[in-house]
Amino acid sequence: MDLSQLTALAAVVDEGSFDAAAAALHLTPSAVSQRIKALEQSAGQVLVRRTRPTAVTGPGEAYLRLARQIDALVREAAVETRADGDGRDVTPVTVPIALSADSMATWVLPALATVGPGVCFDLHRDDQSRTADLLRAGTVMAAITSVDEPVQGCRSERLGVTRYRPMATPGFVERWFADGVTVDALAVAPMVVFDRNDDLQERYLQRRTSRRLTPPRHYVPASADFAEAVVLGLGWAVLPHEQSDEPERRGGLVELDPGQHVDVELHWQQWTLQTPALEAVAAAVRAAAADHLL
């Protein structure tokens, strides 16, 4: 297997086309195409979908993951050989990570800030139930996910539980839940939802009512703005304590349904391939999770 072929595969997937990959690699599109064809002939399978943008096939995921791993090892070797005494000459290693918007907005970014200047981050945001798909596809080296079953070629460890409580403003509760949190009230009271993949509010409704309700909803696909929308009284939503504690202390938010909550168990999955940068990131995430998760 020619390493230049694996490099071409990663570039075609990352850049979204053969032409863009050629520009990134300082090659002609024909040269990139030849390398991909040679790799596919060696594998005996189609590895890249010739779509717009290009995408890796199922069989291609293993080769893409291999390409990422080799690139990580090469970059780690470069760091070890080029660093001077104070580390200023270090070429940072980029670690791509998949995580949810809630994790990014609350406890993960402060954890990553402790890793040091030798590592850069390429963060991919998705629902915690879907981040493992990015790991499986070879897009990222690690993921914070609700999936505990290790992705092939990865190891998994439990981080803890994020607890989400249904929260709303006092005025919102007075208007929509004057007679208590009933099925009828939940069916009509507006709620705030992150995006179409966010099912946390639905999980609360299903558990609370054992029915499928379709109340009005506001879609607010940014974590900080999502919490702000609840504080402003647009609707109710389930929030982690990092986003609800301060406005709750100020009296801006109250528990909509005391004693009710939605728990999401989180896991750290990463390549079994060990590199100093990836292990440093894992240690930082693990320590922060111990402080923030249940």
Side-chain angles (χ1 to χ4, degrees), residues 44-250:
Q45 300 183 77
V46 174
L47 305 179
V48 177
R49 295 189 185 94
R50 274 67 169 177
T51 55
R52 290 184 179 275
T54 51
V56 68
T57 65
E61 291 178 354
Y63 287 88
L64 180 60
R65 185 165 58 247
L66 177 60
R68 307 276 196 218
Q69 292 173 341
I70 291 175
D71 181 66
L73 290 174
V74 170
R75 291 180 183 274
E76 290 282 3
V79 167
E80 292 180 11
T81 57
R82 292 181 56 189
D84 62 15
D86 60 6
R88 294 183 180 180
D89 194 37
V90 172
T91 301
V93 175
T94 298
V95 177
I97 304 171
L99 69 167
S100 70
D102 284 346
S103 296
M104 188 187 307
T106 53
W107 61 275
V108 175
L109 282 183
L112 298 182
T114 68
V115 173
V119 179
C120 288
F121 302 101
D122 181 8
L123 302 182
H124 296 252
R125 188 190 70 190
D126 208 335
D127 186 80
Q128 56 260 10
S129 64
R130 298 159 61 93
T131 49
D133 294 338
L134 297 174
L135 190 61
R136 188 175 296 108
T139 304
V140 298
M141 299 169 65
I144 296 175
T145 173
S146 59
V147 178
D148 63 339
E149 183 68 23
V151 171
Q152 184 175 4
C154 299
R155 69 174 189 263
S156 175
E157 62 178 299
R158 184 181 183 276
L159 291 175
V161 170
T162 297
R163 174 159 293 176
Y164 295 84
R165 296 179 299 154
M167 308 294 294
T169 65
F172 185 90
V173 174
E174 182 179 354
R175 176 180 180 181
W176 295 97
F177 296 97
D179 297 326
V181 182
T182 64
V183 174
D184 289 341
L186 288 170
V188 297
M191 66 183 188
V192 182
V193 180
F194 187 82
D195 60 19
R196 270 71 178 176
N197 295 322
D198 177 14
D199 68 345
L200 290 176
Q201 282 68 225
E202 302 287 354
R203 288 168 61 178
Y204 161 75
L205 289 175
Q206 179 65 32
R207 179 180 301 175
R208 187 66 171 77
T209 68
S210 299
R211 292 172 56 182
R212 183 173 179 81
L213 303 179
T214 57
R217 59 197 67 199
H218 303 282
Y219 291 99
V220 185
S223 189
D225 295 331
F226 176 89
E228 182 65 14
V230 180
V231 172
L232 291 173
L234 287 178
W236 68 268
V238 294
L239 296 175
H241 73 86
E242 292 92 347
Q243 292 181 320
S244 63
D245 282 356
E246 183 178 349
E248 188 175 11
R249 282 194 297 268
R250 291 188 281 103

